[in-house]
Amino acid sequence: MTVSVAARPYDFALDPAHAALVVIDMQRDFIEPGGFGDTLGNDVSRLKAIVPTVAALIGLFRKHRLPIIHTREAHRPDLSDCPPAKRLRGAPGLRIGDTGAMGRILIAGEPGNAILPELAPLPGEIAIDKPGKGMFWATGLQERLQGMGITQLVFAGVTTEVCVQTSMREANDRGYDCLLIEDATESYFAAFKTAAIEMIVAQGGIVGWATPYAALAAALEVEHA
């Protein structure tokens, strides 16, 4: 049974029996001072501001016992899965693999690579390390979602125009209906977030739908009333 979620470009028909939440890269390296986002010269407080909404969204899916997938952008300690084309860009204060305030930048198992404690996965929730911007490349996630019977994905996380949008586009190409929670995603650049969302919903939802958290919560509460 589907429920209607008020969304752009038109209402989203959510099927809770086949839907999962994807929380993209809510990691200390991107959100806290001293992490990779900070070393790139970004204002990390913009990302920190969405944490309460992301926490509420996770809580909503837990309440309704719906699947949750958490991703971390992470590389092996020897950087064998981090090509120079990714690592050697621009002039950041620190590069991927360098030692920063929270350990080696974007390296699996380092303190900075961890998901924020208030958003941390619970036992039974899927957590994947992804070496790229998208959540499907070199992760095996597609097979896991197929095994779970998932056909719809609700997205949150950072950053909107990079890892979130990349993952949504990958999911769209694989046949998933995708819904982005607008106030549970953020960019270091306000204009980039706005542009990314407009690209997602353009042309009749060419990549997917977008809605605020309150609209999704209201629809799920009606469904379980």
Side-chain angles (χ1 to χ4, degrees):
M1 177 180 176
T2 63
V3 294
S4 182
V5 181
R8 293 191 294 151
Y10 52 88
D11 289 356
F12 182 80
L14 179 70
D15 181 1
H18 298 95
L21 172 64
V22 181
V23 184
I24 301 287
D25 299 358
M26 293 297 291
Q27 302 161 235
R28 298 181 67 202
D29 267 329
F30 293 130
I31 297 170
E32 293 186 359
F36 190 44
D38 190 22
T39 71
L40 292 169
N42 297 311
D43 177 7
V44 297
S45 67
R46 289 186 53 84
L47 274 55
K48 185 72 171 178
I50 69 166
V51 170
T53 305
V54 176
L57 180 60
I58 292 172
L60 179 69
F61 270 68
R62 287 173 178 164
K63 175 183 177 181
H64 293 290
R65 300 185 178 182
L66 301 178
I68 302 173
I69 296 103
H70 305 259
T71 77
R72 291 177 294 255
E73 186 170 348
H75 294 281
R76 299 170 186 152
D78 64 2
L79 298 178
S80 59
D81 59 353
C82 183
K86 178 178 183 180
R87 186 170 186 267
L88 303 177
R89 290 290 181 91
L94 294 170
R95 296 190 183 278
I96 295 172
D98 291 347
T99 300
M102 295 180 285
R104 296 181 67 201
I105 297 288
L106 291 186
I107 297 299
E110 294 288 329
N113 201 236
I115 293 169
L116 295 175
E118 56 266 53
L119 307 177
L122 293 181
E125 296 175 355
I126 296 172
I128 64 166
D129 289 336
K130 59 180 185 63
K133 297 176 177 64
M135 68 185 194
F136 289 99
W137 182 66
T139 65
L141 182 58
Q142 168 74 344
E143 293 74 18
R144 297 181 76 172
L145 292 176
Q146 287 178 326
M148 296 163 64
I150 299 299
T151 61
Q152 297 184 335
L153 296 170
V154 177
F155 281 87
V158 299
T159 60
T160 313
E161 78 281 7
V162 184
C163 294
V164 175
Q165 183 177 203
T166 300
S167 295
M168 285 190 72
R169 288 181 179 274
E170 287 184 337
N172 176 258
D173 282 347
R174 287 163 173 78
Y176 296 94
D177 289 326
C178 300
L179 175 65
L180 177 64
I181 307 305
E182 296 181 29
D183 46 351
T185 184
E186 193 51 84
S187 169
Y188 297 119
F189 310 97
F192 290 3
K193 173 181 175 177
T194 299
I197 294 175
E198 292 306 313
M199 285 188 282
I200 285 166
V201 303
Q203 302 179 74
I206 194 168
V207 176
W209 288 256
T211 193
Y213 166 75
L216 175 65
L220 279 175
E221 293 304 328
V222 167
E223 194 266 341
H224 284 85

